[in-house]
Amino acid sequence: MPARRPLAARAGTAALALLLLTACSADERSPGEPITEDEARTLADLLHRNHEEGGADFVVSVPFGDDALLELTGEVDFRRGIGRAQAVTVVDDEERDARTLFFDRDELWSGDVPGLSEALAADGAPDAAYLRRPLPADPEDPELLDVLVSMLLNLAQPEADDPALFLDGPYRWQAEEPLDGRPTVVYRLREGRSVAVDAGDGTLVQYRATLPDSGLDVTLTLADHGTRRVALPGDDETAAAADHPRVAANFGL
C-alpha cells in the first residue's frame, strides 16, 4: 500500500469565516484612503455579482513549508455551489503529488491518484475511482483543502449586502495595477486581506489573505466569469472514505 501523501499542513478554524470585499476604480487616490459611497455599493454587490454571473475559472495557490506550493486549478459553479480542480503539490520545483478534486458545500471527492483504484478494488470497491468524505461544518483543526474549497464557495451569495456596512469599517483604496493583463483596482480589507477588482466590469479578479492560525498566505484568482455546469462523480464510481478508512489513510485522502 502506498504511503500517506498529504497535500499540505492543516489550517486553522478561523480561516473558515471569511469576509470578501471589493470596489471600483478611482482617480488620483492615495493608498489608505477610505472608500466612497459608490465603492460601498460595489462592495455590497460583489458576492451577489459572482452568483449572478454563475461561475468562473479559478486558481488557488498556497505556499507552505520549505519551497513547497499547493495549487488548485479548475472551475466553479457558484449558483449550485459545486466545483472541480486539479490539485498539485510542488516541492523544490518538482511535482510530488497530483489528484483530481470535486466538491460541494458538504463533501469532497478525490481521485486520479496512482494506485487508488487498485487499492479500492482490493478493499471491496472494484468500480470506484474516487473516495468521498464529508466536509466538517465546524472542525477544530480543518484540513487545508477543506478551508480552500470553503473559501472559494463563499465568494458568492444570492443577495447583495447593505452598502452602509462598508462605509463604517476599515475598508480602504490601495492601488490600481494590472493583473494577468487586466486593469484592476486593489482594496485593503480587514486583517491584512486584499482584493483586486476588474476596473472595467467590476468583477472579482483576486482575493488574498493570510490564514489566521497557520500563517499560510492564500491567493485566489478568478477569470472568465460565466455559467458553469460541473457534474459530480456518480455513485457507481465513488466509494465513501468512511467505508475504506485504511485506503483513505494510506493515500492521505
Side-chain angles (χ1 to χ4, degrees):
M1 190 75 70
R4 175 180 172 87
R5 299 176 300 166
L7 280 176
R10 291 176 179 265
T13 305
L16 294 174
L18 300 171
L19 182 61
L20 306 168
L21 308 167
T22 183
C24 54
S25 181
D27 296 324
E28 302 298 329
R29 305 289 292 276
S30 297
E33 287 189 11
I35 64 170
T36 66
E37 291 186 0
D38 285 343
E39 291 168 337
R41 284 189 287 271
T42 301
L43 291 170
D45 193 51
L46 179 66
L47 304 187
H48 177 59
R49 174 72 181 275
N50 275 346
H51 182 272
E52 290 296 297
E53 291 285 342
D57 294 342
F58 68 84
V59 176
V60 181
S61 60
V62 186
F64 69 95
D66 295 328
D67 299 320
L69 175 71
L70 170 62
E71 188 167 84
L72 277 60
T73 304
E75 61 179 344
V76 58
D77 178 344
F78 282 130
R79 290 180 183 169
R80 296 190 301 148
I82 297 174
R84 66 181 172 197
Q86 183 74 8
V88 176
T89 300
V90 176
V91 180
D92 293 329
D93 297 324
E94 179 182 347
E95 183 177 306
R96 297 290 181 84
D97 189 285
R99 61 192 62 180
T100 299
L101 304 177
F102 289 84
F103 53 89
D104 60 17
R105 295 192 180 278
D106 300 314
E107 295 181 300
L108 178 74
W109 288 253
S110 298
D112 289 335
V113 179
L116 177 60
S117 295
E118 292 80 1
L120 287 171
D123 204 38
D127 299 324
Y130 291 88
L131 266 181
R132 183 187 70 243
R133 66 172 176 81
L135 292 173
D138 189 21
E140 293 184 0
D141 187 19
E143 296 281 356
L144 178 58
L145 281 177
D146 297 7
V147 174
L148 298 181
V149 299
S150 295
M151 288 178 68
L152 181 66
L153 295 178
N154 283 342
L155 287 172
Q157 63 185 34
E159 297 181 358
D161 290 310
D162 182 355
L165 297 174
F166 307 109
L167 292 172
D168 184 20
Y171 315 112
R172 297 291 184 269
W173 186 94
Q174 186 64 24
E176 295 183 2
E177 60 187 32
L179 181 62
D180 294 335
R182 302 167 65 181
T184 69
V185 184
V186 180
Y187 288 84
R188 190 174 73 239
L189 312 179
R190 297 179 183 272
E191 300 172 352
R193 300 167 184 165
S194 67
V195 288
V197 187
D198 191 295
D201 62 19
T203 54
L204 178 63
V205 177
Q206 190 173 86
Y207 171 72
R208 299 173 66 95
T210 300
L211 303 184
D213 293 345
S214 67
L216 297 176
D217 294 323
V218 177
T219 300
L220 194 158
T221 304
L222 300 179
D224 296 329
H225 293 71
T227 301
R228 297 293 189 280
R229 288 289 182 265
V230 179
L232 296 171
D235 290 342
D236 58 340
E237 57 181 336
T238 300
D243 295 336
H244 305 274
R246 185 174 300 178
V247 175
N250 284 334
F251 283 88
L253 305 178

